[in-house]
Amino acid sequence: MSQPFAATASLEDVTESIIFPPGDIFSDEPPLESDLHREQIDLLIRLIKWWWRDRQDFYATGNLTIYFSPNQKKSEEFRGPDFFVVLDTEKKDRKSWVVWQEDGKYPNVIVELLSNSTASVDKGLKKQIYQNTFRTPDYFWFDPNNLELQGFHIVDGQYQELVPNESGWLWSQQLGLHLAVYLGKLRFFTPDGQLVMLPEEEANQQLEQTNQQLEQANQQLEQERQRAAILAERLRNAGIDPKS
């Protein structure tokens, strides 16, 4: 007589025996540390997607699980970077990043947001994994509370600390952008030093420029009106009717 199923196989065994269809493995990340962390992640994602809005060859996301088990098991090897970008891949929504379903690709850029509970891991174990297993070329960490920012780039298989430029910005070779703290947030800057803006920031900037142009035009009109009034007064003083 066969034994009950529960006695012969654990739930974990059953889960491990399931062959997940491509794209059918869900992310399994814990809640974020704070609103600051959530807002910072959302900001980075929105910025890079807007900056590269005409590109279809990248994937950018945050707080999403990366499954990378060599045995293709979702419970063995996984990490959930706070923000990461994969280049030369299809731009589409995903439930998680499963390395063996993505042609073996790992992130090109990773940003971890530090907190009291994660800083030691982000600076130690995760850095080691991103260097030795992921081989992620650019790795940064940022603390939304004290604004600590540090970056690394792989050279000969080892992370070398990035040296800030004269403005204190760190260069991401993979993104072709600088990373820097601006108004208390981690932001991107172009190679020529321009802030990468959100669409609403661009709209506000254009509105401000338009308002400035209108103000300049009004000032020029006022100056012309004053010059015309002075000329008319001079003509009247000379006995000439300026209206004739």
Side-chain angles (χ1 to χ4, degrees):
M1 180 177 178
S2 61
Q3 296 182 351
F5 180 79
T8 59
S10 69
L11 179 59
E12 181 177 355
D13 292 335
V14 173
T15 302
E16 292 299 336
S17 67
I18 296 174
I19 299 176
F20 289 91
D24 204 37
I25 302 180
F26 286 87
S27 178
D28 187 24
E29 291 308 300
L32 295 172
E33 292 284 336
S34 68
D35 287 342
L36 275 178
H37 290 75
R38 174 179 52 79
E39 290 166 2
Q40 179 64 76
I41 292 171
D42 290 344
L43 176 61
L44 292 176
I45 295 171
R46 291 189 64 206
L47 285 169
I48 202 67
K49 285 185 174 181
W50 179 246
W51 179 246
W52 284 345
R53 56 191 176 276
D54 296 325
R55 292 180 54 170
Q56 301 297 321
D57 61 346
F58 75 98
Y59 179 64
T61 191
N63 197 40
L64 195 82
T65 305
I66 297 175
Y67 296 103
F68 58 100
S69 165
N71 298 316
Q72 300 188 7
K73 293 182 178 181
K74 68 184 292 284
S75 65
E76 281 191 350
E77 300 286 351
F78 57 91
R79 286 288 161 184
D82 289 320
F83 171 79
F84 67 89
V85 178
V86 185
L87 302 177
D88 299 319
T89 190
E90 185 179 358
K91 184 181 180 181
K92 66 177 183 179
D93 291 337
R94 292 167 169 86
K95 298 174 183 176
S96 63
W97 184 267
V98 185
V99 170
W100 61 86
Q101 295 178 356
E102 300 284 355
D103 299 324
K105 290 183 178 293
Y106 287 90
N108 294 75
V109 179
I110 289 176
V111 177
E112 290 287 6
L113 303 182
L114 304 182
S115 68
N116 291 336
S117 62
T118 67
S120 60
V121 175
D122 292 334
K123 295 180 178 183
L125 177 61
K126 282 189 176 181
K127 181 186 174 188
Q128 183 180 9
I129 291 173
Y130 298 157
Q131 171 187 274
N132 299 334
T133 302
F134 284 25
R135 315 296 291 170
T136 294
D138 291 346
Y139 175 46
F140 300 86
W141 64 58
F142 173 66
D143 191 322
N145 292 297
N146 63 24
L147 308 185
E148 175 188 348
L149 173 62
Q150 197 164 352
F152 304 86
H153 180 75
I154 282 187
V155 178
D156 296 329
Q158 300 292 318
Y159 274 139
Q160 301 296 318
E161 185 174 349
L162 294 172
V163 178
N165 66 6
E166 61 277 5
S167 300
W169 301 353
L170 300 179
W171 176 250
S172 171
Q173 187 182 97
Q174 297 294 299
L175 297 179
L177 296 169
H178 290 101
L179 280 77
V181 180
Y182 176 77
L183 298 179
K185 298 290 186 182
L186 184 60
R187 299 291 298 258
F188 299 120
F189 287 82
T190 64
D192 60 355
Q194 299 300 309
L195 177 69
V196 174
M197 293 185 287
L198 296 169
E200 58 266 31
E201 291 175 327
E202 290 184 1
N204 288 336
Q205 184 185 64
Q206 292 173 358
L207 180 60
E208 289 177 3
Q209 291 174 346
T210 300
N211 289 336
Q212 290 175 358
Q213 291 170 354
L214 288 173
E215 185 175 351
Q216 291 173 356
N218 288 333
Q219 290 175 351
Q220 291 175 352
L221 287 173
E222 179 61 20
Q223 291 171 356
E224 291 297 330
R225 187 193 67 77
Q226 292 176 1
R227 281 195 290 266
I230 293 172
L231 178 59
E233 182 65 21
R234 289 175 178 174
L235 290 173
R236 281 192 291 270
N237 291 338
I240 302 173
D241 185 357
K243 297 182 179 179
S244 62

